[in-house]
Amino acid sequence: MPEESIDHIDFDELNKNAVSQPLVKHIYTADPSAHYFNGKIYIYPSHDIESDIPFDDLGSHFAMEDYHVLSMDSIDSEATDHGIALHVDDVAWAEKQMWAPDAAHKDGTYYLYFPAKKADGIFQIGVAVSDSPTGPFKAQPEAIKGSYSIDPAVFEDEDGSYYLYFGGIWGGQLQKYRNNTYNKDNELPTPNEPALLPIVAKLTDDLLEFAEEPKEIQILDAEGNLLLEADNDRRFFEASWMHKYNGKYYFSYSTGDTHFICYAIGDTPYGPFTYGGRILEPVVGWTSHHSICAIKDKYYLFYHDSSLSRGVTHLRSVKMIEIEHQPDGHIKTISPYTN
Ligand code: FUB
């Protein structure tokens, strides 16, 4: 939701009408990546903090330094905060801005994927390992080779393959890359060119490296054309997520400056994906970022908003709500403040 509209919000009324409430209130949390590991819900969010860094379009005021893992015994239980799972000071290659993370589980080991800026100001994605889903996690000494930009989301397919989706424009720096190569002079495409696309790479068996060159995944309109840069209501901005439903692959993402969480449907983890619609209308705060997690036979959207901080865009709170796949495969759109 654009910041200029926040002055007019009656937060007491808005919170009363919200379809869900923050899962924790003692710290600010955002970008929730939720997983159902061994019969329990684990949420891997960003840990938002106050910062005196001036606001800019690159998100410099999102100055997060560590990660906390939350867990819930069931969808109705209180969320438990397990404390610091990883701090930027313990990541040799990273300097600042511990943005949206995700996690995976394989053979009793847990992997935390996270983006951070190096001393040269460039984002890369790292991985840290633990034998517990709540950490503490030990970071690999270097970032994942060939990784770049932000918002890693890991997807375990039914055949045991793991894929890492990533990328985000503006502060996420994706516009600086073409064919996996950085050039500081690269910018966004012009309005009538195809929009930049999210990136995916299959992971190696140890889940620590890319098993292949990262590639773009295509998001197409109903006519089979790539979405254009000017199509701000539908084109990819950041916050990749993948879930599978009824044999189809659902790639979901944020449209950033238009504040929608949208999805596109495909037949393989690599796509192509055809735009399907909106999952979530704009929330309070500039950013919108989510995950979708199957818990027993239902699907839940984990998302965030800035209602607890009364509109401070970098002080967000994670929430959850059930979503519904309709018989034709489309997902019913959620309006976050219409309870
Ligand atoms: O939390 C920092 C950034 O804001 C995330 O990486 C983006 O997806 C947006 O939510």
Side-chain angles (χ1 to χ4, degrees), residues 5-322:
S5 37
I6 280 170
D7 292 346
H8 311 291
I9 296 176
D10 174 344
F11 279 101
D12 296 329
E13 193 59 20
L14 178 124
N15 286 332
K16 212 164 61 199
N17 294 329
V19 295
S20 62
Q21 297 300 322
L23 293 179
V24 291
K25 292 188 173 175
H26 65 294
I27 55 171
Y28 289 111
T29 53
D31 310 322
S33 292
H35 292 275
Y36 195 53
F37 292 144
N38 304 320
K40 207 166 157 169
I41 304 160
Y42 294 93
I43 305 160
Y44 299 84
S46 299
H47 175 202
D48 282 356
I49 51 171
E50 306 271 2
S51 115
D52 49 15
I53 298 169
F55 284 36
D56 62 24
D57 279 349
L58 299 180
S60 308
H61 47 298
F62 291 88
M64 297 85 102
E65 295 176 350
D66 63 22
Y67 297 110
H68 287 221
V69 181
L70 308 177
S71 72
M72 296 167 73
D73 289 334
S74 72
I75 53 149
D76 301 314
S77 15
E78 298 273 298
T80 303
D81 171 6
H82 295 270
I84 296 178
L86 179 69
H87 194 282
V88 68
D89 290 348
D90 297 319
V91 183
W93 59 268
E95 187 187 74
K96 61 182 177 189
Q97 288 177 279
M98 305 283 267
W99 284 12
D102 191 15
H105 173 220
K106 186 176 179 183
D107 300 335
T109 302
Y110 296 84
Y111 300 82
L112 181 72
Y113 297 87
F114 59 97
K117 267 188 189 162
K118 299 179 297 181
D120 61 5
I122 296 182
F123 270 113
Q124 271 202 275
I125 295 168
V127 55
V129 178
S130 176
D131 55 13
S132 161
T134 55
F137 289 88
K138 188 169 169 32
Q140 293 294 107
E142 288 174 22
I144 298 174
K145 273 193 294 298
S147 69
Y148 54 93
S149 196
I150 59 165
D151 290 358
V154 60
F155 168 69
E156 178 187 356
D157 207 350
E158 279 152 315
D159 66 357
S161 304
Y162 290 74
Y163 299 86
L164 198 76
Y165 296 84
F166 60 93
I169 61 173
W170 295 20
Q173 305 176 341
L174 185 62
Q175 68 278 9
K176 298 292 173 194
Y177 292 82
R178 296 292 186 277
N179 299 319
N180 301 323
T181 303
Y182 180 89
N183 181 333
K184 68 173 177 34
D185 298 325
N186 284 341
E187 291 302 344
L188 289 169
T190 57
N192 291 322
E193 289 180 319
L196 289 184
L197 295 166
I199 312 290
V200 64
K202 195 173 188 171
L203 293 170
T204 49
D205 284 344
D206 63 8
L207 304 193
L208 298 177
E209 298 291 346
F210 292 158
E212 60 185 4
E213 283 280 301
K215 28 182 159 295
E216 292 179 337
I217 59 167
Q218 296 191 327
I219 305 177
L220 309 174
D221 63 16
E223 283 73 49
N225 300 312
L226 286 168
L227 298 184
L228 299 183
E229 174 62 18
D231 192 350
N232 300 50
D233 281 355
R234 298 191 298 173
R235 62 93 175 86
F236 172 78
F237 189 103
E238 62 186 4
S240 295
W241 191 258
M242 176 64 75
H243 78 279
K244 211 168 173 181
Y245 177 77
N246 236 351
K248 295 280 187 193
Y249 294 82
Y250 285 68
F251 178 77
S252 49
Y253 57 97
S254 167
T255 62
D257 54 351
T258 47
H259 319 284
F260 302 116
I261 297 291
C262 294
Y263 67 99
I265 303 176
D267 291 318
T268 81
Y270 295 109
F273 300 92
T274 302
Y275 179 83
R278 292 180 192 162
I279 302 174
L280 182 65
E281 298 286 1
V283 293
V284 172
W286 197 94
T287 68
S288 198
H289 189 125
H290 71 298
S291 63
I292 293 168
C293 182
I295 300 169
K296 302 195 171 155
D297 53 352
K298 295 186 170 170
Y299 286 76
Y300 294 85
L301 178 74
F302 289 76
Y303 66 106
H304 69 223
D305 75 5
S306 298
S307 56
L308 184 65
S309 68
R310 300 179 94 80
V312 183
T313 215
H314 63 291
L315 296 179
R316 302 160 290 180
S317 302
V318 302
K319 298 178 154 189
M320 72 182 283
I321 180 120
E322 188 180 343

